[in-house]
Amino acid sequence: MAYPLLHIAGDRTETLEPKRNARSSADRIRPLIEWTTLKVSGKPRVYGSILKINRLHRGSVESAVTSFPMAVMYGESDYTLTLLYLLNDDLIRASEFSVKDFERAAWGISRIGSRESVISVESVELGKGRIMEKEIAETAYAFPLTGKKVQGNGVVQGVIDWKEGIGNYSKARIMVMFYPEGKVKVEGRLRVIDVGEEVVL
Amino acid sequence: MFLSVGVRFEANVEALNMVETAGNYTKHRRVPYLVEEDGKLKTVYVPAISGESLAHAYQWSLVKEALGMNLPVCEDCAKGEFFKSMNKAHLKKKIDPIPDDSKKIEATIIKSCVIEDVGGFLYAEKPPVRRSSAFQVSYALPIKSMALFATAEPQLHARHAQMDAKGKKGNVSEQMIYYVETGTALYGFTFNLDLDAIGVSSLGAGPIVPEEEIRARREASLKALFRMLSSAQFGAKLSRFFPVGGITELTVVVTEHPFVVTSPIYDSYIERTKKRLEVIKEAFREEYFFDSTNEVPEEVLRKAIEYLKEKGYV
């Protein structure tokens, strides 16, 4: 999201403070995004040649040593990723950007993932949501697993906590995310937001 | 301005991207496709061409275009060795002594080489300096509706040599057999070019070269794509495995801000791209260029360059 958003702003900077603790300029956008998550269509499968190598040479350390935080969806079906960005109106208003800028930027997301595969955004929708407290919810969107009970299938992965900063991944905290396959039932102390007919934790 | 191109091409009996060699067997690059059958997933391996391979071909075309337009290309890149000022040994060819200032290092590299300006670089010493590539390219993958018909098949070849009479085996013909795995598929890939990134610092220092030269560099970048696609000079083993076939469809979009054509691996990609562009026009009042053809791809590329000339971008 940062790349098209900064393009709209006419800012070509991609590295902040190059001399010490170089960071990605995506860090400029990070405080404006409250939360981001995604859901996947179809049946994802974790696959990767690096995983195969690790399986052969290092036993079952697979997901811990790869930067591959979620499932692969190559295939004959038209699999899609749905990304969700939760923005805070007040923060956006106080920033140099507008919600419209974010909407246009969403159409311009061109790369995603650790090796930045080329993608195309097929649809963008804007909506208002209200955060609520719940103890049980059903969701198809990925969520942090800690402190929750899950009924259903999915993929568990340790991923970088982007809220701690973008770029300095060697020292960043890892959070455990659950990527559901279809919808799953979750129990715990949940903060949820309705998105159309769906729920995001 | 942001250019995005979707390309579909037919390649029969090609060896455009070979990977590991096991003995006398050279394998084609393959990727897994997941196929659902009776509610269960199974993996099918299909031939593919990596984005790295396509990016190398593009940058090699850019070397020729840049040199033809008297634009600077560094010594390494001019040889097709894209080290990209990766360490002191390579950077010293451009500036010696190497300064301690990232911005000076970046400016020196951009001024001395169009390829590193457009294709990005990573100087991995102190202070580290990186620049993302202004162009992006996907893997070339078999289009989805025909993926299961894509094949990779080993072809047997033989070399013969007359042995010298004094040789251990006497005066007999010696034969060596080897296998080259060839792929056949209707491939699709996406290419993006961020024209606003060319000649401009990625460390926030603004334009590095004069506006006139930036326009020339943009033109060279577009012509390089034109040449690469038109001449089918991408991938390996072209001298003996030049793919039989050619571009079957080409779609070009130019927008003010980033926008990527729907991937040509989907059958409805042209219609979907058009619909998405209409949203961009209506919601954001953004002008765009769109053209697509299954006949003369060069004509579409020419029109895109003309559009950018009209806009004063090249």
Side-chain angles (χ1 to χ4, degrees):
Chain A
M1 177 71 98
Y3 169 62
L5 198 57
L6 293 174
H7 195 283
I8 290 165
D11 183 351
R12 304 306 310 181
T13 311
E14 57 177 284
T15 308
L16 302 172
E17 297 176 54
K19 271 206 159 174
R20 45 189 189 98
N21 303 322
R23 291 177 294 129
S24 163
S25 58
D27 238 19
R28 273 186 57 199
I29 310 303
R30 186 173 54 88
L32 302 177
I33 297 173
E34 292 275 349
W35 180 239
T36 180
T37 181
L38 61 81
K39 69 171 178 175
V40 296
S41 71
K43 289 181 182 175
R45 176 186 284 188
V46 174
Y47 177 85
S49 46
I50 294 176
L51 299 189
K52 266 202 307 196
I53 291 164
N54 285 323
R55 198 179 299 142
L56 285 171
H57 297 286
R58 302 182 57 174
S60 56
V61 287
E62 302 180 337
S63 57
V65 293
T66 175
S67 56
F68 206 63
M70 56 161 295
V72 162
M73 297 180 303
Y74 307 112
E76 59 173 1
S77 301
D78 289 0
Y79 293 122
T80 54
L81 294 174
T82 305
L83 308 177
L84 181 131
Y85 291 91
L86 186 60
L87 306 172
N88 181 325
D89 272 350
D90 295 333
L91 287 178
I92 302 294
R93 262 195 293 274
S95 77
E96 62 189 291
F97 301 103
S98 66
V99 173
K100 195 88 177 163
D101 289 335
F102 271 87
E103 189 185 355
R104 175 62 185 90
W107 279 105
I109 296 172
S110 56
R111 294 180 298 170
I112 195 167
S114 57
R115 288 289 291 178
E116 302 178 313
S117 295
V118 177
I119 61 152
S120 65
V121 173
E122 297 297 308
S123 169
V124 177
E125 287 176 34
L126 272 178
K128 292 237 176 210
R130 191 165 57 89
I131 296 169
M132 294 169 288
E133 307 283 331
K134 275 190 177 177
E135 287 179 2
I136 299 178
E138 278 196 6
T139 187
Y141 284 87
F143 55 87
L145 186 59
T146 310
K148 299 180 185 76
K149 271 173 68 181
V150 183
Q151 284 178 41
N153 295 326
V155 178
V156 177
Q157 288 284 326
V159 302
I160 299 296
D161 186 353
W162 60 275
K163 294 194 83 158
E164 290 199 350
I166 297 169
N168 190 9
Y169 291 159
S170 56
K171 292 179 189 162
R173 193 167 63 92
I174 298 284
M175 63 197 294
V176 180
M177 290 287 286
F178 188 91
Y179 295 86
E181 182 184 311
K183 275 190 183 173
V184 294
K185 190 174 171 185
V186 189
E187 288 179 52
R189 291 183 61 192
L190 313 174
R191 296 186 78 208
V192 305
I193 185 164
D194 286 329
V195 185
E197 292 175 354
E198 299 190 78
V199 163
V200 168
L201 305 190
Chain B
M1 289 280 183
F2 195 89
L3 176 109
S4 184
V5 182
V7 184
R8 268 187 173 191
F9 67 97
E10 184 182 347
N12 297 298
V13 199
E14 50 78 18
L16 289 166
N17 197 182
M18 310 310 281
V19 283
E20 63 193 313
T21 300
N24 63 349
Y25 191 96
T26 315
K27 271 182 75 182
H28 197 289
R29 181 180 298 282
R30 286 195 248 190
V31 295
Y33 255 34
L34 298 185
V35 177
E36 200 167 339
E37 203 173 76
D38 301 328
K40 287 185 178 173
L41 285 178
K42 68 174 187 180
T43 308
V44 180
Y45 286 84
V46 293
I49 300 155
S50 73
E52 296 281 10
S53 167
L54 296 169
H56 182 90
Y58 173 69
Q59 290 177 118
W60 183 230
S61 292
L62 185 55
V63 168
K64 291 172 187 167
E65 290 302 332
L67 291 173
M69 292 171 71
N70 288 322
L71 292 168
V73 176
C74 74
E75 186 188 325
D76 288 334
C77 290
K79 288 190 283 191
E81 293 173 349
F82 303 120
F83 295 117
K84 309 288 190 74
S85 309
M86 65 185 187
N87 55 24
K88 282 180 190 166
H90 291 284
L91 184 57
K92 272 186 180 171
K93 294 178 188 175
K94 296 184 177 79
I95 185 167
D96 194 8
I98 294 170
D100 191 27
D101 183 341
S102 311
K103 287 181 180 169
K104 276 187 190 162
I105 293 174
E106 188 202 30
T108 303
I109 297 172
I110 290 176
K111 278 179 195 163
S112 2
C113 187
V114 173
I115 315 307
E116 287 169 85
D117 177 10
V118 177
F121 58 81
L122 173 63
Y123 173 62
E125 302 257 10
K126 280 188 178 175
V129 187
R130 72 181 291 279
R131 175 180 179 79
S132 287
S133 171
F135 78 91
Q136 305 156 358
V137 62
S138 74
Y139 260 52
L141 298 176
I143 67 164
K144 292 218 167 196
S145 59
M146 291 171 69
L148 290 179
F149 300 105
T151 56
E153 180 74 13
Q155 299 296 330
L156 173 67
H157 296 270
R159 283 198 185 108
H160 301 268
Q162 286 288 332
M163 296 300 288
D164 193 301
K166 293 172 189 167
K168 284 180 185 172
K169 290 180 182 175
N171 190 16
V172 291
S173 304
E174 186 161 86
Q175 186 186 57
M176 188 187 86
I177 58 169
Y178 62 101
Y179 297 88
V180 177
E181 205 170 64
T182 54
T184 284
L186 183 55
Y187 290 101
F189 74 90
T190 310
F191 178 97
N192 298 329
L193 178 61
D194 184 352
L195 290 157
D196 295 309
I198 298 172
V200 177
S201 167
S202 64
L203 299 175
I208 302 285
V209 295
E211 181 60 33
E212 198 178 315
E213 187 174 331
I214 288 179
R215 279 202 292 271
R217 288 181 180 212
R218 288 176 187 149
E219 187 173 352
S221 307
L222 294 163
K223 283 181 171 174
L225 176 65
F226 194 134
R227 184 184 288 272
M228 175 184 123
L229 295 176
S230 188
S231 61
Q233 290 300 305
F234 52 81
K237 280 193 171 292
L238 296 177
S239 53
R240 294 296 180 270
F241 290 87
F242 193 80
V244 183
I247 294 175
T248 57
E249 272 178 6
L250 185 107
T251 299
V252 182
V253 167
V254 181
T255 44
E256 199 175 323
H257 300 301
F259 176 93
V260 183
V261 295
T262 298
S263 172
I265 64 171
Y266 304 111
D267 282 341
S268 57
Y269 78 102
I270 296 174
E271 289 71 30
R272 278 158 71 177
T273 301
K274 270 189 204 169
K275 281 183 188 165
R276 294 165 55 225
L277 280 169
E278 279 305 304
V279 177
I280 298 294
K281 188 178 176 184
E282 282 179 24
F284 307 103
R285 295 166 192 257
E286 195 174 313
E287 272 189 67
Y288 66 83
F289 169 88
F290 168 87
D291 203 357
S292 185
T293 185
N294 53 11
E295 288 175 357
V296 188
E298 286 82 355
E299 188 60 20
V300 176
L301 290 166
R302 187 188 64 77
K303 283 184 197 167
I305 294 175
E306 285 302 315
Y307 175 81
L308 285 160
K309 274 188 177 162
E310 279 170 26
K311 294 280 172 192
Y313 247 70
V314 293

